[in-house]
Amino acid sequence: MDFSMILQCTWVAVAGMALAAVASLIPGLHIYNVIALTMVIVFTVEEVFAGVDPMVLTCFLVGLVVGFSMLFTISSQFFQPCDDSARYIMLPHEKFLFDRRGHEAVLLASVGSLVAILFIGIIIPIIGPHMGFVREILRPHLYWIIGAVIVFLLMTEWPKDPGTGPTVATRMFDGWGSILMGYLCFLLSSALGIFTFYRTTIPVDAAFQSLMPVFVGLFAIPSQLVTILAAVAYPKQHVARSVELYGEDVIRGSASGLLAGMFASMTPSMTPGPAMLLSGHATVTGGDRQFIIGGGAGRVMYYVGALLFFFMPGVFLRRGGAAINISLVFIPETEAQYYVITGLIALTGGLSFLLMFGYSRMVLWIASKVNYKLISAAGMAVMIGLVYHVTSWQGLVIMTAATFLGLIPNYWHTRRITLLSVLLVPMFLNMSGLGSDVARWLGFM
Amino acid sequence: MKIRDACAPERPPVTCPSCGSGIEDSPACCYCGSATLPDRRVSEVRLALCSVPAFLAAAVLLALAAGSQTRVTRIADLTPDGAFDHFRVAGTVTAVKLFPSRYPASGQYTVWVSDGTDPGEDGRGLKVKIEGEVFSEIQGAGRLPEAGDEIDVEGTLHVGEGFKTLSVNTAPMVRTVKKRGEVR
């Protein structure tokens, strides 16, 4: 590949990373939403981009994905504190925030992210030629693997009530209430997913973004609403200049995260959440630090690793929203392209890691000056505008329905992970050959 | 309660490096529980230095990209084992065929390439398909190969019982090395 072309790709990848840093300030915004907007702009002013090599646009999107996967949790860390009246579980990074250690949690997550970047930049190019073989082995078994994950998610739902009701009936209701509402979330999300796959009302020209309003409604808007309604104030944060960290935490946390990320990036419809739940059990990780490090590693391995498999010669696995969107404009072909993409992932990953130190301080400064509820309200407005712009009013209708569904876990203290059946169930049914039968039975065909 | 010697020099207040709370000189913070001793902590500078391997990896990978070219494969070596993989072949165009379309960007141009190793099903060599937008782009640039040209072409191999075709995916993958009759 020409040196000038590599240089051009490098500049645009760094520009993509810079844009990701700006977009990451909006809590709850997903990278795939930003990519969707980018693609809409590209298609709207197609003539402007007519002379641009698709490889250049691809590198821009790669920089965007890497930057976002490294930085987007920082704004959530400081702009979305956990209100325990609306949540049953306080996750370790939220616990750190209330211990005045939010910045330290960011550092730990970034250590996991950096390990994933190093794994992608150093190890994957070595083991890459064998990934096609792994894919071929997994391919015929994926449907039952997804089915097993669904069973695991349902099995691990547990009663989230201390059992202090005055009567047996009250205790039964309290105990089973959250479990049953979790199962209800599962069923309704599954139906929504099948509807989205078979009879979505999204306009045809935005069909490639039919999942966008669903995900914004299920996950982003409810978390913003809960933040706006939250009644907690977290203590003034301390900017730690060092972090308590042990080799064991890095190794075990990263191993768990990388395993989860690899699994999620190779398995259709899998996301880091359930994959982390599985790998956490499988690798018996323990402690807050390992959890946070694993989260950082898993997130980057999923978003960036899944994208890398798309470019890997002999694999060309189109998994995840980024790869699907890039495939609209670019077909990966050569080893040179693969090396450029991997190199740019390592470069923008390293830069994002260095940027993180100042970025966390900046977000913390913003959080000290602006009420986090206002930031969440602004973020919510941006997302609703984005959904309307990309998918029109039909998208807003679907997003509203999904939002009601996404609020159930908050009101009933169930886990939000059951909402992921919106992808898992239709994918499992389709891969096992039952998808169209079930869709017909539900009246969607 | 600790009784301090009033004559002892004043010690600076000790704060937890993690949460910033005022603590006694203790190996663990009584508020957040984190270790306070320097040997149990990693500074931001040392963390930043950990990113150096990422930049080194980036430099190596970009250098590899700069020097990387797809290996030229003999047409005879294109077997069903390589179906759907990316290949590069070089040879002389023996024939061309244009399928014009009334719709823009949907024409098809087929060239047959021979490198002397495999005559192909009809003796014209390997069938290379240039379709749709790729065809329009190459045609617009005036780079469509003609019979007698020497070309170097890369694409996805489609091979099965009785057929072997290379599909070009992007315009830069078709390169004319020497035009017919051109002397070098």
Side-chain angles (χ1 to χ4, degrees):
Chain A
M1 189 179 279
D2 286 347
F3 182 72
S4 61
M5 181 68 176
I6 293 174
L7 209 57
Q8 203 178 343
C9 289
T10 305
W11 282 118
V12 295
V14 174
M17 189 204 79
L19 179 65
V22 176
S24 298
L25 283 173
I26 304 170
L29 187 68
H30 199 282
I31 181 58
Y32 296 162
N33 303 150
V34 184
I35 289 180
L37 184 66
T38 309
M39 297 311 291
V40 167
I41 293 169
V42 167
F43 291 139
T44 308
V45 285
E46 206 174 348
E47 63 280 1
V48 175
F49 290 92
V52 178
D53 193 307
M55 180 70 185
V56 174
L57 179 63
T58 301
C59 291
F60 177 78
L61 294 176
V62 167
L64 201 63
V65 172
V66 175
F68 204 88
S69 63
M70 297 279 287
L71 299 171
F72 85 102
T73 52
I74 298 177
S75 61
S76 308
Q77 173 75 50
F78 296 115
F79 295 155
Q80 293 189 310
C82 172
D83 185 345
D84 59 0
S85 66
R87 292 265 298 277
Y88 185 78
I89 303 164
M90 185 182 275
L91 294 170
H93 64 272
E94 293 162 337
K95 203 169 90 181
F96 269 55
L97 183 70
F98 284 92
D99 280 343
R100 305 176 63 192
R101 299 165 67 192
H103 179 70
E104 198 177 337
V106 169
L107 293 179
L108 286 171
S110 300
V111 167
S113 302
L114 182 66
V115 172
I117 289 293
L118 293 177
F119 186 80
I120 290 167
I122 297 170
I123 307 296
I124 293 273
I126 297 167
I127 63 170
H130 307 291
M131 296 306 290
F133 176 66
V134 174
R135 185 194 177 192
E136 288 308 309
I137 290 176
L138 279 177
R139 201 202 297 261
H141 302 286
L142 285 173
Y143 78 96
W144 69 257
I145 292 175
I146 298 171
V149 172
I150 292 171
V151 171
F152 181 79
L153 291 186
L154 293 174
M155 278 173 64
T156 50
E157 196 66 78
W158 80 100
K160 296 164 201 73
D161 184 81
T164 53
T167 64
V168 172
T170 316
R171 288 195 292 275
M172 282 288 282
F173 179 77
D174 289 344
W176 278 95
S178 64
I179 295 179
L180 292 176
M181 289 312 279
Y183 291 162
L184 179 69
C185 277
F186 174 83
L187 289 174
L188 292 177
S189 295
S190 305
L192 180 63
I194 296 167
F195 172 80
T196 307
F197 273 66
Y198 284 92
R199 200 175 182 168
T200 186
T201 52
I202 301 296
V204 174
D205 56 352
F208 70 105
Q209 286 299 334
S210 57
L211 281 172
M212 179 189 184
V214 175
F215 271 81
V216 170
L218 285 178
F219 298 101
I221 301 286
S223 70
Q224 303 284 29
L225 279 174
V226 168
T227 307
I228 292 168
L229 297 172
V232 292
Y234 60 84
K236 188 174 184 303
Q237 297 295 301
H238 174 70
V239 179
R241 294 187 180 280
S242 64
V243 58
E244 184 187 359
L245 190 61
Y246 306 101
E248 186 192 358
D249 292 335
V250 178
I251 292 167
R252 294 189 67 174
S254 302
S256 164
L258 292 177
L259 186 65
M262 290 279 276
F263 179 60
S265 56
M266 297 288 282
T267 312
S269 78
M270 194 60 65
T271 57
M276 283 296 296
L277 185 68
L278 286 161
S279 74
H281 279 75
T283 57
V284 203
T285 48
D288 294 343
R289 285 188 299 275
Q290 288 179 22
F291 182 95
I292 296 172
I293 291 171
R299 214 166 32 243
V300 172
M301 193 61 218
Y302 167 68
Y303 289 121
V304 183
L307 185 56
L308 184 64
F309 290 145
F310 177 62
F311 298 96
M312 192 175 278
V315 179
F316 300 124
L317 187 64
R318 203 181 62 155
R319 194 84 75 220
I324 289 169
N325 277 287
I326 288 174
S327 70
L328 297 173
V329 293
F330 180 75
I331 300 164
E333 291 184 282
T334 62
E335 270 191 7
Q337 291 169 342
Y338 167 64
Y339 286 134
V340 167
I341 297 295
T342 318
L344 293 181
I345 287 172
L347 177 71
T348 49
L351 287 174
S352 301
F353 181 77
L354 293 179
L355 183 66
M356 170 274 303
F357 295 102
Y359 194 82
S360 176
R361 286 169 167 83
M362 184 187 72
V363 173
L364 194 50
W365 178 80
I366 294 172
S368 70
K369 299 290 177 194
V370 186
N371 187 336
Y372 66 79
K373 294 183 183 191
L374 287 177
I375 295 170
S376 276
M380 195 165 78
V382 167
M383 277 186 292
I384 292 172
L386 207 56
V387 168
Y388 177 72
H389 182 71
V390 176
T391 61
S392 189
W393 63 268
Q394 293 96 325
L396 286 184
V397 173
I398 292 177
M399 185 196 76
T400 308
T403 300
F404 283 116
L405 191 50
L407 283 169
I408 294 177
N410 294 106
Y411 286 114
W412 288 86
H413 290 174
T414 66
R415 295 178 308 165
R416 298 173 74 182
I417 208 164
T418 49
L419 296 171
L420 282 173
S421 61
V422 73
L423 272 186
L424 289 168
V425 170
M427 194 60 75
F428 167 70
L429 291 173
N430 285 343
M431 293 183 83
S432 54
L434 298 168
S436 52
D437 291 336
V438 175
R440 201 172 296 114
W441 180 67
L442 287 171
F444 296 152
M445 281 182 78
Chain B
M1 180 187 284
K2 262 184 178 173
I3 298 170
R4 287 224 171 100
D5 181 354
C7 299
E10 190 80 18
R11 289 169 59 188
V14 179
T15 58
C16 168
S18 280
C19 69
S21 302
I23 54 169
E24 289 293 329
D25 200 0
S26 135
C29 173
C30 56
Y31 296 99
C32 68
S34 49
T36 58
L37 297 176
D39 63 337
R40 300 197 167 203
R41 304 187 65 85
V42 181
S43 69
E44 283 189 321
V45 175
R46 282 173 66 188
L47 282 180
L49 287 174
C50 292
S51 64
V52 170
F55 295 112
L56 292 176
V60 170
L61 288 162
L62 292 178
L64 276 174
S68 167
Q69 279 191 333
T70 309
R71 189 173 51 86
V72 176
T73 306
R74 291 173 354 129
I75 294 174
D77 294 338
L78 300 176
T79 61
D81 289 341
F84 307 113
D85 281 348
H86 184 83
F87 285 99
R88 176 183 173 195
V89 296
T92 307
V93 177
T94 57
V96 298
K97 192 168 187 180
L98 172 66
F99 294 91
S101 168
R102 59 188 294 190
Y103 302 106
S106 58
Q108 181 184 310
Y109 193 68
T110 306
V111 300
W112 281 264
V113 180
S114 172
D115 65 355
T117 62
D118 183 0
E121 55 189 292
D122 47 10
R124 292 188 287 186
L126 175 72
K127 191 176 178 182
V128 178
K129 281 173 29 176
I130 306 169
E131 297 173 290
E133 288 181 354
V134 180
F135 163 67
S136 301
E137 196 178 332
I138 296 176
Q139 189 185 36
R143 296 198 297 113
L144 279 179
E146 291 165 9
D149 290 353
E150 278 184 30
I151 66 166
D152 179 339
V153 60
E154 294 182 45
T156 307
L157 179 68
H158 299 276
V159 58
E161 195 68 48
F163 70 96
K164 194 186 318 190
T165 309
L166 198 70
S167 291
V168 178
N169 299 310
T170 50
M173 295 298 158
V174 180
R175 296 171 288 266
T176 302
V177 178
K178 198 167 90 177
K179 294 295 285 180
R180 183 180 55 177
E182 188 180 289
V183 182
R184 288 228 170 151

